[in-house]
Amino acid sequence: MTTTSPAAASRVGTLALTGLAPLVWGSTYAVTSEFLPADRPMFTAMMRALPAGLVLLALTRALPHGRWIWRTVVLGVLNFGAFFPLLFLAAYRLPGGVAAVLGAAAPMFAVVLTGLLLRERPSGRKLLAGVIGIVGVSLVVLRATAALDLIGVLAGLAGAASMAAATVLAGRWGRPEGVGPLTVTGWQLTVGGLVLLPLALVTEGAPPALDGAAVGGYLYLGAIGTAAAYAVWFRGLARVAATSVAFLGLLSPLSAAVIGWAWLGQALTPLQLLGMAIALGGTLLGQTGGRRAPTAAPAPAAVSALRAA
């Protein structure tokens, strides 16, 4: 009879909780298409970040200090100030399936950046898991009629790279001692939102008129899809290796496909179900190997994005 060590059980529990974040992010596609104003990616990105960040700042009543000022700026820009507009730009210019496949490249970027930034040699198992994940997501979301747009493709890849860089750096830096994930989330959302505010005004002009459905959509994306989901994500990054967390992002397009089937009446073919199984296999394979993340206690030496998401 085999027994599971407390450390292993804790890691599995952390991964399961962290995996809820990308499952929630998968609802972004449906909420955006059904409730939010069309052709306003910058405004949508700003509304997803800044109000939630300001609310969390008011609740936690803490500000970064010392080296955490510039670290927060870097992570806030990567996780939100850059990732959000790139995500929505890709979503508006590309079929959802193409955008999702580009986003699925984030774990591969994370593996490579871990080697470059942390001087850790990428393992063949992680690289294989990344390829498997991309193949699985492609089977789930790609269509034969999918059209490519160069700006959209570049935005999708840049967004995946931004999220991956934020994930790797957050895993390396952890959190300041005594500071919780909600506080860190509030810092980064506020930074990202302040970056996005002038961009939205310059590129899209005055805010659009919002009906009740749009207000509800933004409230959901801000409170649940951003503040709560990223707090869970950053908590996981402080406890588990960044590359392992990055592979959980593959759950987002799978969640979007299931929501599209259950809510929007979209069909799920046997090939898509096979793709889901393959992508889940890549996600599980991505949890093996790699160095364990530093714990939160000694975080000053050691949160996700763009995240990251």
Side-chain angles (χ1 to χ4, degrees), residues 65-231:
H65 59 274
R67 61 185 173 183
W68 276 98
I69 296 176
W70 68 264
R71 285 183 174 182
T72 297
V73 171
V74 170
L75 293 175
V77 170
L78 289 174
N79 267 320
F80 306 111
F83 174 65
F84 274 4
L86 290 169
L87 170 70
F88 284 107
L89 181 59
Y92 277 116
R93 297 185 68 98
L94 294 171
V98 177
V101 171
L102 295 174
M108 293 291 283
F109 281 119
V111 172
V112 173
L113 288 172
T114 297
L116 294 176
L117 299 178
L118 307 185
R119 304 300 176 92
E120 293 182 18
R121 183 178 179 181
S123 69
R125 187 178 299 175
K126 294 282 188 183
L127 293 173
L128 176 61
V131 172
I132 291 174
I134 293 174
V135 170
V137 170
S138 299
L139 293 176
V140 173
V141 299
L142 278 187
R143 300 292 181 272
T145 57
L148 297 182
D149 173 89
L150 179 60
I151 295 177
V153 170
L154 293 177
L157 290 174
S162 179
M163 181 68 169
T167 299
V168 172
L169 290 175
R172 176 179 177 84
W173 293 337
R175 298 193 305 267
E177 187 173 2
V179 173
L182 277 178
T183 302
V184 172
T185 304
W187 294 349
Q188 295 185 38
L189 282 172
T190 302
V191 168
L194 291 175
V195 170
L196 291 167
L197 179 59
L199 290 177
L201 292 174
V202 169
T203 60
E204 298 176 353
L210 302 179
D211 57 17
V215 171
Y218 283 126
L219 285 174
Y220 168 80
L221 286 182
I224 306 300
T226 302
Y230 273 96

